[in-house]
Amino acid sequence: MSNLVKGVILDESELLSASEHGTPTNANDSSFQLRPGASYLLRKLRHSNIRSGISYGPGLSPDKVNVLKRIAMEYSCECFFLHASMDGGVNEITQAWGDVGGIIMYVVQNSKDSMCKLSSNWLITVVGAEVVTAGQNSSMLYVNKLEELPLTICCFNKKATCNNVVVVGYVMKPSREEDFAKRGAFPLYPTPNGLIFLPLTFEIPLSSQLQNVDVVLHKATDEIISIELSNASVSSNRITYTKGMQELQRFMEDHSDFLAIDPLSNIYPVLDRLKIQLILLRLQEQKAKGRHAIRGAHFVKVIDFKDPGLPQRLSDAQLSLPCIVKPQVACGVADSHSMAIVFGTEDFKDLNVPLPAVVQEYVNHSSTLFKFYVLGDNIFHAVKKSTPNSGILMKSYERNGLRPILFDSLKSLPIDTENQNSGDSISCKVDLDLELIKDAAKWLAKTLDLTIFGFDVVIQEGTGDHVIVDLNYLPSFKEIDKDIAIPAFWDAIKLKFEARKMQQATIASSS
């Protein structure tokens, strides 16, 4: 669509400001600082699938030009010199970019004199103005802050499509966003199935962003400050989110028809390993004659490692040592991935794993882990190297002075340090029943009412049991080829949006 914003040129006047220390002496001098919001905007544009560049005019010092070029390289954009007449620079950009297939937005400060000299077919966007307008036939747009620019582009592109797109506002921590964005998951112009992705920011009023959003995609677990668990099911009033996420939560509560993927209440079971284990118990009802068992690991909850009745409780739960010990809180807080493998009941004494905890069966699985990803109706999996069998771990336990093996599952897993390349003594060949797992995935999607989630499966040696050992919400699914996974990701969001809109319409018509 030729009337969509497909390129952005940021004038240097909007990027750099000199510090009070004066003029820098070289390109690495820190006296030139990025203006507030500039780094944020450059990060968003880098993986937005919109061409981006930095421009500067005549009279700029060589040092400042070098700084601009270094910034352009850091944020994977290009640096252009715009002549006083502008025509030469416009031609240079056209030669470098060719036909971008849409409109180029030129972002400039309100006080920049050269903006009035533009005679090209660019969309001039002025920063630092009081008046805010937007329209596809306007020759000029106005924003107050750089952080507003993604919203401005999003609104402009939506209007250019006659509102025939779904705007997906998303919230997640920067590192996770980078994982998704660098694979092209969050474009600021329409995907083939009609989605535009808007990064929500807590630096500007959230309500002004959400009124232009059709559905929110969130990784709320990235915004958790604390979780207080009790014997009851997890509920929102015992989860403390960041200030920004609390604002989003209030907005969704005040606007009951506002769509989220997925509602915050749907992710609560994923925060609690005990809750998930109880849900997985019901998987045994899915067992069919002649097929392997699909189940969760045997487990028991522990609130005190010094409980004298713990050995009997382990036995009653069909748990034999070694076992893996995990905090009951599954994600979102510090130490939720601090775990231990214990080999004797004495190992529980002074064990450095947060309580309450879940003691879980350690399954011998030939060091092979299957990571499954559910994206709407699509199910993908990847095979990864995992922890060794218990016999090899026992050797590590003995070398460690008969102390439990402590590890952080997000950083590294226990391995055989003496025979890292030898594998387990038993063949690593495993017999994966893919249809069994897919049936379980569909059951979990329906039971949890989640759109995008992942779970880990190991196959028990000897029995062939398919054991689900972990489950998480909105994983990055980075092991799956982006050309397959990203379109499936978009389809999952669009289909869930349409299903929930239809559900709302049905409810409204029957009331």
Side-chain angles (χ1 to χ4, degrees), residues 38-171:
S39 178
Y40 167 85
L41 177 59
L42 287 167
R43 288 197 307 272
K44 303 307 176 187
L45 289 175
R46 177 165 51 189
H47 301 302
S48 67
N49 291 350
I50 290 179
R51 299 296 295 266
S52 58
I54 296 171
S55 70
Y56 63 95
L60 209 65
S61 70
D63 290 330
K64 196 168 186 179
V65 171
N66 287 334
V67 171
L68 290 173
K69 290 181 177 179
R70 176 167 51 83
I71 291 172
M73 183 177 297
E74 179 182 352
Y75 290 96
S76 304
C77 56
E78 298 173 81
C79 199
F80 299 105
F81 172 66
L82 294 185
H83 300 273
S85 66
M86 304 298 291
D87 292 335
V90 171
N91 290 335
E92 180 184 345
I93 293 170
T94 301
Q95 291 175 5
W97 286 358
D99 183 3
V100 298
I103 296 171
I104 291 179
M105 175 182 282
Y106 177 54
V107 184
V108 64
Q109 258 193 343
N110 191 31
S111 59
K112 187 77 172 181
D113 294 333
S114 61
M115 70 177 182
C116 62
K117 299 178 183 179
L118 276 172
S119 58
S120 67
N121 190 29
W122 285 3
L123 177 65
I124 302 174
T125 301
V126 182
V127 181
E130 294 299 325
V131 180
V132 178
T133 63
Q136 71 180 75
N137 297 317
S138 301
S139 61
M140 197 171 288
L141 299 178
Y142 302 87
V143 297
N144 287 318
K145 301 172 66 177
L146 279 176
E147 290 92 340
E148 297 174 21
L149 202 64
L151 176 61
T152 302
I153 295 172
C154 178
C155 292
F156 186 92
N157 282 347
K158 181 173 182 177
K159 190 170 184 179
T161 66
C162 299
N163 297 322
N164 290 325
V165 292
V166 175
V167 177
V168 183
Y170 63 91
V171 179

Side-chain angles (χ1 to χ4, degrees), residues 444-485:
L444 284 169
K446 182 178 180 180
T447 301
L448 298 169
D449 194 14
L450 293 177
T451 307
I452 301 166
F453 65 96
F455 58 94
D456 296 344
V457 175
V458 297
I459 300 179
Q460 187 174 38
E461 290 185 351
T463 67
D465 285 1
H466 290 45
V467 185
I468 298 177
V469 293
D470 194 20
L471 192 148
N472 56 91
Y473 172 69
L474 195 61
S476 64
F477 49 86
K478 56 188 175 183
E479 295 90 353
I480 310 303
D481 188 303
K482 67 177 183 179
D483 293 334
I484 299 173

